[in-house]
Amino acid sequence: METVKPFTVWITGLPASGKTSVGKELKKIFISEGFSVVLLDGDEVRKGLCVDLGFSLEDRMENIRRVSNVASILNTQGYIAICCLVSPTKEMRGNARKIIGSENFFEVHTIASVEVCRKRDFKGYYQRALKGEISEFTGVTSLYEAPVNPNVSVNTDVVGVNEAATIIFQKCKEWLQDR
């Protein structure tokens, strides 16, 4: 790709749908093509930037607001931001799009069934939510609103991490040509 104005790849999906794994692989592809990239993972930002937030709807909105602002700053500094966050509601993703700017917002939906996500959940969050130990857990006790018209969807039940990242990269290239 030729020189492009930096943008944000916003990867949304259920917990354990493959967002971060795909995001990490996508980052490698962008770097191999000569781009400066930063990956912002939901679990990682909650260890610092958003350590003071829980998982209520209000806290999730604030989490998305903070990450969106960081992504926007990274874009203005010449970096592509890859944001891997559940961001479970259309409103949250809409707010992220407003903060980052529609022209800089590339939405990716990692599709995976709850059953597959439960099997992949090495952190045990789904089991804890099913036991009532975690309230407001997306995919168990809290709703996930799938994007209506993302730039690209990848079904991680059937597509591996490398293939998913390659598909997303190709769609980004097409999107950038139309931008």
Side-chain angles (χ1 to χ4, degrees):
M1 278 189 256
E2 65 235 29
T3 304
V4 297
K5 182 180 173 202
F7 62 100
T8 295
V9 178
W10 194 275
I11 305 177
T12 179
L14 287 171
S17 64
K19 296 177 300 299
T20 300
S21 297
V22 170
K24 286 178 179 177
E25 192 61 32
L26 181 62
K27 179 181 174 185
K28 290 179 191 176
I29 295 171
F30 274 117
I31 289 171
S32 74
E33 294 288 326
F35 291 96
S36 298
V37 184
V38 174
L39 186 130
L40 299 170
D41 173 63
D43 288 342
E44 292 301 315
V45 298
R46 284 187 174 275
K47 291 178 183 176
L49 179 67
C50 299
V51 71
D52 59 323
L53 301 175
F55 291 92
S56 69
L57 189 59
E58 296 78 20
D59 283 354
R60 285 175 179 261
M61 290 290 277
E62 177 60 14
N63 183 54
I64 298 304
R65 188 193 68 75
R66 291 179 190 180
V67 173
S68 300
N69 276 286
V70 170
S72 179
I73 291 167
L74 288 168
N75 291 164
T76 63
Q77 296 301 312
Y79 293 91
I80 293 172
I82 300 174
C83 300
C84 306
L85 294 101
V86 173
S87 43
T89 69
K90 294 172 189 171
E91 181 183 6
M92 288 178 195
R93 294 186 301 273
N95 288 342
R97 183 182 298 272
K98 284 178 195 166
I99 291 167
I100 293 165
S102 290
E103 71 283 358
N104 297 329
F105 192 87
F106 186 90
E107 186 176 42
V108 176
H109 181 206
T110 53
I111 301 169
S113 67
V114 172
E115 294 76 26
V116 169
C117 291
R118 284 181 188 161
K119 290 177 187 172
R120 290 181 184 159
D121 180 28
F122 65 90
K123 296 175 186 171
Y125 292 142
Y126 279 93
Q127 282 292 43
R128 290 180 57 209
L130 288 168
K131 291 178 185 176
E133 296 172 12
I134 300 175
S135 62
E136 301 182 62
F137 187 78
T138 307
V140 178
T141 55
S142 185
L143 180 68
Y144 177 79
E145 298 174 339
V148 175
N149 193 20
N151 294 91
V152 63
S153 295
V154 288
N155 186 333
T156 60
D157 281 0
V158 296
V159 175
V161 170
N162 294 342
E163 186 177 352
T166 300
I167 290 167
I168 295 164
F169 181 76
Q170 291 302 322
K171 290 292 184 181
C172 283
K173 281 175 54 174
E174 293 169 16
W175 178 73
L176 288 169
Q177 291 172 354
D178 296 336
R179 214 166 137 212

